[in-house]
Amino acid sequence: MTMTTADFLVEIGTEELPPKALKKLSEAFASGIQAGLDEAELSYGTVSIYASPRRLAVRVEQLQRVQADKTVEKKGPAKKAAFDDQGRPTKALLGFARGCGAEVSELSEVETDKGTWMVYYQAQQGQAAEVLLPEIVNQSLAKLPIPKRMRWGASDVEFVRPVHWALMLLDGVVVPAEILGLKTGNTTRGHRFHAPQEIQITSPSVYLNTLETEGKVKADFASRSDMIREQVEAAAQSLGGIADIDEDLLEEVTALNEWPQAVVGDFDEVFLSVPSEALISAMKGHQKYFHLLNQDGSLMAKFITFSNIESNNPDSVKKGNERVIRPRLSDAKFFWDQDRKQSLDDFLPRLKTVVFQQKLGTLFNKIERLETLAVKIGKPLGEEPQLLERAARLSKCDLMSEMVGEFPELQGIMGRYYALEQGENAAVADALDAQYQPRFAGDDLPNSGVAQALAIADKLDTITGIFGLGQVPTGDKDPFALRRSALGLLRIMIEKQLNLDLMLLIRESLKLHDEVEASDALAADIYDFIVSRLKAYYADKGISAEEFEAVRVCEPSHPIDFDKRIAAVQQFSAMDEAESLSAANKRISNILKKLDEPFAETVDTNLFETDAEKNLFATLDELREEVSRLIADRDYAQAMQTLAKIRQPVDVFFDDVMVMADDLNVRNNRLALLNQIYQLFLQIADISRLSA
């Protein structure tokens, strides 16, 4: 029997949806529908996602029209409970049969590892897709990630925005259903102003084209995004500039427009005296404008915005946007001029009024801790204590500036500008900005030693303080972004090759928190929390979970040391000897774990009874000095390669020697020999964890 398929389309028409959530909502809607189809065991082909300000839509091609018939097994009582001593059906069996609508004679027996059970095999006819789809769509809508749903009119229906229409087609036929309080149909609506009338969709395959030609709506989010990008780049090229397209802004503008039309505007060049980041924040954050750069990277006195209509008077639209942006830029210039009338030091007293965390004190208290911690971090890096202290002293001052008060995303950036304006050392000024790096995944890292020390200190102070108060991140809750801070400081230490003792710095930081009771156990917990961030970091680099755990169990105190061990283990894993030696180490580990009695740490060669013991000890003795030297030099990769030479005598030992000999002295001597091998490997990593 040939399986028949159909093309399915569902569209929910609404008031304008939240632009920053549109893409996430549309993807979740499609994922929910796919999950529903999978659960219903309906096969399907390509799934396309469409989203615009006033609609969420999903198209599913080659959707199986009818579920396949299947046999469902219903499990009844155990056979021993199903019949009495005379072999007559018990009440339990009769009740089960009655519940299945069957006779006892129609039941079957099935053998399992827990005995014989009575079962009933019931043929279940597959349902048509149009019967299943309404519930699948409704369930997907109910599970959308909407923090706060709203009601409208007198209806009890709730959704992120009021719903005005619902379209649902299977090929060219309406799938009858009630979606969010509305009956489904085959009509959509076009652009709110260009084509507000109802538009009939004859089949899912013509949906996109019909909406575009008749409705002035480009419903495909990705195509609309490309359209905006192309218009921005074309406008920039025509002006001799470079389009600096922020991807988050591009996504938001895409979510705000159904029929995007680029509009190029100008602003007064007098504003170019203000730091470009402030002007860009004003244009991007408040007005959703794209900025342009000159060929030398400086900001052009132009912007590109998008109108959601084809205006008959584009010049009027241009001038309107220019009027709107001027007061925003004027504010930025005012803040810049006002903030420079005082030094960063003048902001320090105000930091005493801003609480960092109730028990950890104010931002001024944090600065005092950073002055001490930054010096402890920076001195081993060869940085001058005076510069480290000064950078820490000024690190949070710009938070009290007018500019950062209006544009919080400029914290650090404005600190650098104000520091340079007042003649601070360039390394100090750079550190005020770079202390927040990396701000996001893949972001740049601080380059100078002063900036690196301040960035690590700032992150570590927050982690130890909040962790010390017992406010450990759980699930998605991490209000102080401790996970991001932990990965950030690790990236700085590892990627900038800073030879810093993380455990030592954790202890030093804990001492600076008056409200935290420092202990070795707390320091160890914080170390584990920070280092656990590396699992995903290394996974992205192709390191397996087993390789990561093999190093983590050794608790290297220096992150760069951790990194070198990871590289060594990864190289070792690719060697021919790896599988055998990993298995041997696992075997040794298991033997040693089971021992209740202590055994000697030294090996007595006079107790050897076999050549296998003698050869293994001789090889170990020959390699020991070189391996120890390589480990001391942190040349773990070469140390692992050298240790790999022990594979052959280890294999022979386990083939020829009975470790748990009857003679207690011989047994303990063999255990001591194996333990020395295990401990030598353990100075680099626990390779027993690499064995399945």
Side-chain angles (χ1 to χ4, degrees):
M1 180 178 174
T2 304
M3 181 181 69
T4 58
T5 63
D7 205 353
F8 173 65
L9 173 69
V10 58
E11 180 195 58
I12 310 299
T14 69
E15 293 289 335
E16 276 71 10
L17 294 159
K20 291 186 178 180
L22 180 60
K23 191 174 182 184
K24 184 178 179 181
L25 286 173
S26 65
E27 290 170 349
F29 186 31
S31 294
I33 289 174
Q34 286 181 262
L37 295 175
D38 291 338
E39 187 177 347
E41 297 181 359
L42 289 171
S43 66
Y44 53 89
T46 303
V47 176
S48 302
I49 306 172
Y50 307 125
S52 78
R54 300 175 65 215
R55 73 201 71 234
L56 296 173
V58 176
R59 179 187 172 192
V60 181
E61 298 178 49
Q62 296 177 303
L63 175 63
Q64 184 179 337
R65 275 189 169 276
V66 182
Q67 289 176 316
D69 295 340
K70 62 181 180 180
T71 301
V72 178
E73 179 186 284
K74 292 186 176 182
K75 189 176 181 182
K79 184 178 180 181
K80 60 184 179 182
F83 299 96
D84 61 19
D85 295 340
Q86 283 74 44
R88 291 173 301 193
T90 62
K91 287 184 178 180
L93 185 62
L94 292 171
F96 172 65
R98 188 165 52 251
C100 295
E103 299 294 330
V104 171
S105 60
E106 296 177 275
L107 303 181
S108 303
E109 296 178 11
V110 63
E111 295 288 339
T112 73
D113 54 358
K114 294 183 179 180
T116 305
W117 295 80
M118 305 304 294
V119 296
Y120 177 62
Y121 294 106
Q122 184 177 41
Q124 184 172 299
Q125 188 174 1
Q127 290 183 282
E130 54 260 36
V131 175
L132 300 167
L133 285 168
E135 180 62 16
I136 290 172
V137 170
N138 276 316
Q139 282 296 315
S140 179
L141 290 169
K143 293 176 182 176
L144 290 185
I146 302 171
K148 191 173 182 180
R149 294 173 183 255
M150 64 181 294
R151 296 180 185 176
W152 56 95
S155 172
D156 289 334
V157 173
E158 294 182 344
F159 198 55
V160 62
R161 290 291 185 270
V163 179
H164 294 303
W165 74 89
L167 176 153
M168 196 146 67
L169 295 176
L170 199 59
D171 280 346
V173 180
V174 172
V175 178
E178 185 172 304
I179 305 294
L180 296 172
L182 295 175
K183 298 292 184 183
T184 52
N186 64 350
T187 58
T188 183
R189 297 180 196 173
H191 192 283
R192 185 181 287 279
F193 302 110
H194 288 309
Q197 72 282 358
E198 289 190 347
I199 300 171
Q200 184 175 342
I201 303 297
T202 57
S203 74
S205 62
V206 302
Y207 172 72
L208 278 184
N209 187 59
T210 301
L211 258 183
E212 186 166 347
T213 56
E214 296 183 29
K216 291 279 188 178
V217 171
K218 202 164 185 67
D220 184 86
F221 193 96
S223 297
R224 201 163 65 253
S225 177
D226 291 342
M227 177 181 177
I228 292 171
R229 185 190 296 276
E230 289 165 6
Q231 290 186 42
V232 171
E233 291 175 345
Q237 187 174 7
S238 69
L239 296 167
I242 301 168
D244 188 8
I245 299 175
D246 179 279
E247 294 301 319
D248 289 338
L249 177 60
L250 176 62
E251 182 177 315
E252 191 171 357
V253 172
T254 304
L256 283 166
N257 294 276
E258 290 192 316
W259 196 248
Q261 306 295 312
V263 177
V264 178
D266 303 277
F267 61 84
D268 197 322
E269 292 193 0
V270 70
F271 294 120
L272 294 177
S273 63
V274 180
S276 60
E277 292 92 339
L279 301 180
I280 291 168
S281 283
M283 288 189 283
K284 184 168 64 176
H286 289 303
Q287 302 305 136
K288 316 304 175 192
Y289 293 173
F290 293 93
H291 63 280
L292 299 176
L293 303 176
N294 290 303
Q295 295 298 324
D296 62 2
S298 61
L299 187 65
M300 291 182 76
K302 294 183 180 294
F303 62 84
I304 299 173
T305 185
F306 278 83
S307 171
N308 196 31
I309 58 172
E310 287 183 357
S311 175
N312 294 324
N313 190 357
D315 191 57
S316 177
V317 176
K318 171 180 180 295
K319 289 179 179 177
N321 279 281
E322 290 172 346
R323 282 195 302 272
V324 169
I325 196 59
R326 183 176 179 83
R328 297 293 188 185
L329 300 182
S330 296
D331 287 345
K333 188 174 188 306
F334 174 78
F335 298 145
W336 170 242
D337 293 338
Q338 287 296 111
D339 288 339
R340 288 183 299 151
K341 290 179 180 178
Q342 53 196 318
S343 70
L344 284 171
D345 300 82
D346 293 332
F347 290 121
L348 279 168
R350 291 173 58 188
L351 291 172
K352 296 178 181 179
T353 67
V354 181
V355 175
F356 166 60
Q357 200 280 341
Q358 190 172 9
K359 291 185 178 180
L360 299 178
T362 65
L363 283 176
F364 188 83
N365 298 135
K366 183 177 179 69
I367 281 177
E368 291 180 314
R369 295 192 297 269
L370 293 183
E371 286 178 303
T372 301
L373 191 55
V375 170
K376 289 186 180 295
I377 295 170
K379 281 185 72 175
L381 304 180
E383 299 300 327
E384 295 181 23
Q386 298 90 336
L387 294 181
L388 294 163
E389 287 179 351
R390 184 60 176 164
R393 189 75 172 171
L394 300 179
S395 60
K396 307 302 175 187
C397 290
D398 70 334
L399 298 180
M400 298 294 99
S401 68
E402 297 278 1
M403 186 73 84
V404 175
E406 179 68 17
F407 304 109
E409 67 273 17
L410 297 181
Q411 65 176 6
I413 295 171
M414 295 314 301
R416 172 169 52 82
Y417 276 111
Y418 295 142
L420 291 172
E421 281 280 318
Q422 67 185 43
E424 294 290 339
N425 182 285
V428 170
D430 173 65
L432 301 189
D433 183 4
Q435 66 176 304
Y436 297 106
Q437 291 177 327
R439 290 178 169 87
F440 50 85
D443 189 21
D444 293 336
L445 301 176
N447 285 318
S448 74
V450 175
Q452 290 160 2
L454 181 59
I456 293 170
D458 186 32
K459 293 167 176 60
L460 191 58
D461 175 78
T462 300
I463 293 169
T464 55
I466 301 301
F467 215 97
L469 296 178
Q471 298 182 19
V472 184
T474 56
D476 293 334
K477 294 182 179 179
D478 188 6
F480 286 88
L482 301 191
R483 295 186 182 100
R484 187 177 67 194
S485 294
L487 182 56
L489 71 85
L490 286 169
R491 279 193 60 205
I492 295 170
M493 290 182 180
I494 291 171
E495 294 176 29
K496 293 300 181 180
Q497 291 290 289
L498 306 184
N499 189 22
L500 295 170
D501 187 328
L502 177 58
M503 183 60 85
L504 175 64
L505 292 178
I506 290 171
R507 292 195 177 101
E508 293 292 342
S509 182
L510 283 171
K511 291 177 188 176
L512 300 173
H513 290 286
D514 295 334
E515 297 298 322
V516 173
E517 188 174 338
S519 67
D520 289 343
L522 176 58
D525 286 345
I526 294 172
Y527 171 87
D528 286 342
F529 169 76
I530 293 175
V531 170
S532 66
R533 300 300 101 205
L534 285 174
K535 188 169 187 178
Y537 172 79
Y538 283 121
D540 290 340
K541 298 177 180 293
I543 305 297
S544 71
E546 292 76 17
E547 290 168 337
F548 172 77
E549 291 299 335
V551 173
R552 183 182 180 179
V553 73
C554 298
E555 298 184 346
S557 189
H558 294 64
I560 59 168
D561 189 63
F562 197 113
D563 190 60
K564 289 178 183 294
R565 292 169 189 253
I566 284 284
V569 170
Q570 187 181 36
Q571 288 182 36
F572 172 78
S573 296
M575 295 174 65
D576 294 338
E577 298 87 349
E579 185 176 352
S580 176
L581 283 173
S582 297
N585 269 266
K586 186 171 185 177
R587 185 172 178 181
I588 295 170
S589 175
N590 289 336
I591 292 172
L592 298 176
K593 284 177 185 175
K594 293 176 182 177
L595 296 177
D596 295 324
E597 300 293 328
F599 54 89
E601 292 184 6
T602 58
V603 176
D604 185 350
T605 57
N606 294 318
L607 292 173
F608 288 155
E609 295 181 344
T610 66
D611 289 341
E613 291 171 280
K614 296 173 184 176
N615 291 337
L616 179 57
F617 181 78
T619 305
L620 176 64
D621 209 38
E622 180 185 337
L623 300 178
R624 197 192 316 265
E625 184 177 343
E626 182 184 357
V627 170
S628 297
R629 178 183 59 78
L630 291 168
I631 290 173
D633 292 340
R634 286 184 176 170
D635 191 352
Y636 301 118
Q638 187 58 48
M640 292 289 271
Q641 286 188 28
T642 303
L643 273 172
K645 297 175 183 176
I646 208 167
R647 172 196 172 177
Q648 193 269 340
V650 164
D651 288 345
V652 172
F653 177 89
F654 278 118
D655 287 341
D656 296 355
V657 176
M658 174 67 72
V659 178
M660 307 305 285
D662 293 334
D663 186 319
L664 185 60
N665 290 327
V666 172
R667 179 199 308 171
N668 285 339
N669 198 55
R670 289 171 180 173
L671 289 171
L673 174 58
L674 293 179
N675 185 52
Q676 286 190 7
I677 296 169
Y678 183 65
Q679 293 300 325
L680 196 55
F681 272 101
L682 204 57
Q683 289 184 52
I684 305 170
D686 184 1
I687 66 167
S688 71
R689 293 173 180 261
L690 303 179
S691 179

